[in-house]
């Protein structure tokens, strides 16, 4: 990784505030000569892009902003993308725009801010962004975030064409907001500078109402979102196929080989993974969020792979399969796997418009409770087990969640509209029952210990029932074995 120049020269500034571009303490160049500074200002071709087409979801983001405008008439709405976060010293984590900002704009660049200014008839939207790197002051080649270091930014004119929103310089925004009057709402937790400018104008209650509204707005997906979720799932299916083909290499190394294999698919076909991949072999499958992925992969064990590709527009899949490393389930593994499959079948069947959100969870949990009673692991009757939640020792988690821009989407929606709500066409959720018998659980026979099974699919609520977006991956145990044998040749 190259070392930035960043000479200490107060005449060269990174912003309109004339702040000096930071100098690396141990940089090899002590400064910039007048001759070099003058040379770097000229001799560059005009690279402005013209006639850009709007992004694919421009009409959808406009409709989302219109709904937001209608909900909060007469109020200024401020939605930041967020800022870069330091990983260590002078390196940053890869940037991911806040979900609220990406949902309303389709833009994903750091430091961006969407502002809806109230008018007599609604709101005027402006997207505030950093303009192209300044060539007059040397920012484009001297600053660590300059164009020659991290790549070209769109000009404000280009951004306006792409996102269908007039664009302005974000470096002017804090001062404008500090002078603003009237009620203001801001999505908190993403941009400390913007929040500081609004500190005497906002209230926690109003801001939480904004956050909740934007979370609930995402409960029902529009056509673009459904298409992106299917795209994410389709890439994820291919990622699972990639993993099956390299299980012999994972046996020779570790779970990390599986993690890296899936990650390659995510980066080639999408933006990233949607969450830390769970590549849990053997007893690690009993740890719900096993993301260390540093354990051995052994023939005869199960591999619980919970992973999802995130598309370039930031929608993520979330799929789990529990696979026999050697391609064939043992008798006890199949017994447990088939119980989870039966449970998932019951859960998926309960997903339909007009059903209560909780119905699919209750249906899946009932099947698992019945199996546990049947196997003598817990004393019945089943109604008693469910009433007391006794099955949770081995089922542990809820049976699903909403899915979208976040893997656990719509998380701050009101309970009455989410968990206690009713399913509608366009909602997308996971159905993912599991059974987990910890390696040190002395309440179960020894043959059960260390076996963890989860099966997870992404289910879209349709007008007449549901559609399994991840149906491209087999679920039934015999179909899984046949699929693995085919992929391994």
């Amino acid at each position: 990784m190259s070392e930035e120049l960043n000479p200490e020269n107060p005449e060269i500034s990174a912003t309109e505030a004339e702040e000096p571009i930071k100098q690396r303490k141990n940089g090899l160049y002590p400064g910039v000569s007048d001759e070099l500074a003058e040379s770097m200002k000229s001799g560059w071709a005009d690279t402005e892009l013209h006639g850009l087409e709007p992004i694919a979801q421009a009409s959808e983001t406009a409709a989302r902003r219109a709904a937001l405008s209608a909900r909060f008439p007469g109020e200024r709405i401020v939605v930041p993308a967020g800022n870069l976060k330091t990983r260590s010293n002078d390196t940053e984590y890869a940037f991911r725009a806040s979900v609220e900002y990406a949902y309303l704009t389709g833009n994903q660049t750091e430091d961006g801010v969407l502002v809806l200014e109230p008018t007599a008839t609604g709101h005027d939207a402006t997207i505030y962004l950093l303009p192209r790197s300044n060539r007059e002051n040397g920012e484009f080649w001297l600053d660590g975030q300059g164009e020659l270091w991290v790549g070209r930014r769109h000009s404000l004119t280009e951004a306006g064409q792409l996102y269908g929103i007039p664009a302005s310089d974000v470096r002017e925004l804090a001062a404008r907001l500090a002078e603003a009057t009237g009620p203001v709402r801001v999505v908190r937790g993403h941009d400390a500078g913007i929040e500081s400018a609004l500190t005497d104008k906002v209230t926690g209650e109003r801001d939480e109402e904004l956050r909740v509204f934007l979370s609930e707005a995402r409960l029902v997906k529009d056509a673009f979102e459904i298409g992106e979720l299917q795209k994410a799932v389709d890439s994820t299916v291919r990622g699972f196929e990639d993993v099956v083909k390299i299980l012999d290499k994972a046996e020779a190394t570790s779970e990390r080989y599986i993690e890296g294999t899936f990650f390659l698919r995510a980066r080639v076909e999408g933006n990233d993974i949607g969450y830390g991949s769970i590549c849990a072999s053997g007893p690690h499958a009993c740890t719900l969020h096993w993301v260390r992925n540093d354990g051995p992969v052994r023939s005869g064990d199960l591999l619980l792979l919970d992973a999802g590709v995130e598309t370039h527009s930031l929608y993520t899949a979330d799929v789990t399969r529990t696979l026999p490393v050697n391609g064939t389930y043992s008798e006890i593994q199949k017994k447990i796997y088939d119980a989870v499959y039966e449970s998932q079948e019951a859960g998926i069947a309960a997903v339909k418009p007009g059903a209560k959100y909780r119905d699919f969870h209750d249906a899946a949990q009932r099947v698992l409770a019945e199996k546990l009673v049947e196997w003598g692991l817990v004393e019945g009757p089943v109604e008693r087990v469910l009433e007391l939640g006794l099955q949770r020792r081995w089922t542990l988690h809820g049976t699903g969640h909403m899915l979208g821009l976040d893997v656990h989407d719509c998380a701050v929606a009101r309970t009455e509209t989410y968990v206690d709500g009713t399913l509608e066409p366009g909602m997308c959720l996971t159905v993912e029952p599991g059974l987990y018998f910890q390696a040190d659980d002395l309440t179960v026979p020894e043959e059960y210990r260390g076996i963890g099974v989860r099966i997870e699919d992404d289910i879209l609520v349709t007008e007449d029932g549901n559609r399994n977006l991840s149906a491209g991956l087999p679920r039934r145990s015999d179909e899984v074995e046949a699929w693995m044998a085919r992929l391994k040749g």
Side-chain angles (χ1 to χ4, degrees):
M1 185 174 185
S2 301
E3 181 183 50
E4 298 162 25
L5 303 179
N6 294 349
E8 189 171 10
N9 185 340
E11 294 181 358
I12 299 175
S13 61
T15 69
E16 290 188 353
E18 297 300 315
E19 296 176 0
I21 294 175
K22 295 178 181 179
Q23 179 186 8
R24 187 191 294 273
K25 180 178 180 180
N26 289 302
L28 294 174
Y29 290 99
V32 175
S33 68
D34 292 341
E35 290 80 4
L36 177 57
E38 195 62 31
S39 169
M40 293 297 289
K41 291 180 182 179
S42 61
W44 305 101
D46 179 8
T47 59
E48 182 74 8
L49 304 175
H50 301 281
L52 294 175
E53 293 293 323
I55 59 173
Q57 69 265 45
S59 60
E60 284 86 358
T61 56
R64 298 165 195 166
R65 294 192 300 274
L68 176 60
S69 172
R71 173 62 180 82
F72 299 108
E75 302 185 50
R76 183 176 283 102
I77 308 296
V78 182
V79 185
N83 315 123
L84 290 172
K85 291 181 172 60
T86 298
R87 181 179 185 271
S88 180
N89 188 24
D90 57 355
T91 61
E92 292 85 22
Y93 288 103
F95 179 74
R96 190 184 191 278
S98 75
V99 164
E100 296 86 357
Y101 177 85
Y103 178 73
L104 293 168
T105 68
N107 177 258
Q108 297 179 33
T109 54
E110 66 269 18
D111 301 326
V113 184
L114 172 68
V115 178
L116 300 187
E117 296 282 352
T119 67
T121 57
H123 287 83
D124 287 337
T126 303
I127 189 170
Y128 288 86
L129 301 165
L130 286 171
R132 291 281 305 279
S133 296
N134 192 317
R135 291 183 183 266
E136 282 299 309
N137 69 8
E139 175 199 356
F140 79 109
W141 72 288
L142 294 171
D143 186 81
Q145 294 302 316
E147 185 171 304
L148 297 194
W149 288 100
V150 298
R152 182 187 187 276
R153 295 192 289 263
H154 283 296
S155 72
L156 298 180
T157 300
E158 292 168 355
Q161 295 173 13
L162 287 168
Y163 304 107
I165 314 170
S168 293
D169 191 336
V170 72
R171 295 173 297 187
E172 304 168 357
L173 180 59
R176 289 186 187 180
L177 292 177
E179 298 172 358
T181 58
V184 183
R185 296 177 190 260
V186 63
V187 176
R188 300 191 184 197
H190 302 297
D191 193 320
I194 294 299
E195 290 182 37
S196 177
L198 294 170
T199 187
D200 60 340
K201 308 174 195 304
V202 295
T203 67
E205 181 180 3
R206 285 206 305 262
D207 293 347
E208 183 63 13
E209 286 178 347
L210 170 61
R211 188 165 171 250
V212 168
F213 172 81
L214 289 173
S215 193
E216 293 183 358
R218 303 198 307 276
L219 283 168
V220 175
K221 270 57 181 179
D222 58 37
F224 174 82
E225 294 180 292
I226 293 170
E228 289 299 290
L229 285 167
Q230 185 66 70
K231 189 186 301 181
V233 169
D234 291 345
S235 289
T236 299
V237 168
R238 289 187 284 273
F240 274 65
E241 292 172 345
D242 295 339
V243 167
V244 171
K245 293 174 183 177
I246 56 85
L247 282 177
D248 57 334
K249 295 182 175 63
E251 287 187 66
T253 52
S254 75
E255 296 163 339
R256 294 271 167 98
Y257 205 99
I258 295 167
E259 178 183 355
T261 298
F262 186 85
F263 180 70
L264 177 61
R265 177 67 64 174
R267 287 293 280 165
V268 167
E269 295 192 359
N271 175 62
D272 206 333
I273 50 175
Y275 53 96
S277 299
I278 300 168
C279 308
S281 183
H284 289 162
C286 298
T287 301
L288 297 184
H289 288 168
W290 176 261
V291 293
R292 299 179 200 173
N293 299 335
D294 58 359
V297 178
R298 299 189 178 97
S299 179
D301 282 346
L302 295 178
L303 167 68
L304 190 156
L305 178 59
D306 184 338
V309 172
E310 177 185 80
T311 65
H312 293 291
S313 60
L314 306 185
Y315 288 85
T316 185
D318 181 9
V319 178
T320 306
R321 290 294 183 268
T322 306
L323 311 173
V325 173
N326 63 12
T328 304
Y329 295 101
S330 70
E331 184 177 347
I332 185 63
Q333 290 169 350
K334 186 177 186 300
K335 172 182 175 181
I336 296 169
Y337 184 95
D338 288 349
V340 174
Y341 171 78
E342 186 179 331
S343 166
Q344 193 200 28
E345 282 282 273
I348 293 174
V351 176
K352 54 190 173 183
K356 292 295 185 183
Y357 176 84
R358 290 181 180 272
D359 287 353
F360 77 93
H361 168 73
D362 292 342
Q365 289 292 302
R366 174 171 291 278
V367 172
L368 295 180
E370 289 171 350
K371 296 297 182 182
L372 293 167
V373 171
E374 177 187 326
W375 298 341
L377 302 184
V378 64
E379 183 181 348
V382 169
E383 293 298 338
R384 167 184 172 272
V385 173
L386 292 170
E387 181 182 355
L388 299 177
L390 301 180
Q391 83 283 1
R392 293 181 61 186
R393 180 183 178 104
W394 302 285
T395 66
L396 296 176
H397 53 81
T399 311
H401 52 80
M402 291 295 182
L403 186 67
L405 283 167
D406 278 327
V407 66
H408 298 143
D409 207 26
C410 315
V412 298
R414 291 169 296 170
T415 300
E416 57 264 34
T417 62
Y418 188 161
V419 174
D420 291 339
T422 301
L423 295 180
E424 301 176 40
M427 289 182 170
C428 188
L429 53 93
T430 67
V431 178
E432 50 174 313
L435 282 173
Y436 312 92
F437 298 103
Q438 304 298 327
D440 60 349
D441 188 348
L442 301 181
T443 69
V444 301
E446 187 174 356
E447 63 177 352
Y448 285 69
R449 297 174 198 165
I451 295 178
V453 173
R454 179 163 66 253
I455 312 172
E456 177 180 21
D457 285 87
D458 301 341
I459 309 298
L460 174 69
V461 183
T462 62
E463 294 289 344
D464 57 356
N466 69 67
R467 175 158 59 95
N468 185 348
L469 301 181
S470 45
L473 282 176
R475 292 184 296 124
R476 213 174 61 203
S477 56
D478 60 333
E479 294 175 343
V480 170
E481 291 176 337
W483 170 72
M484 294 183 68
R486 185 169 65 253
L487 288 173
K488 290 183 174 184

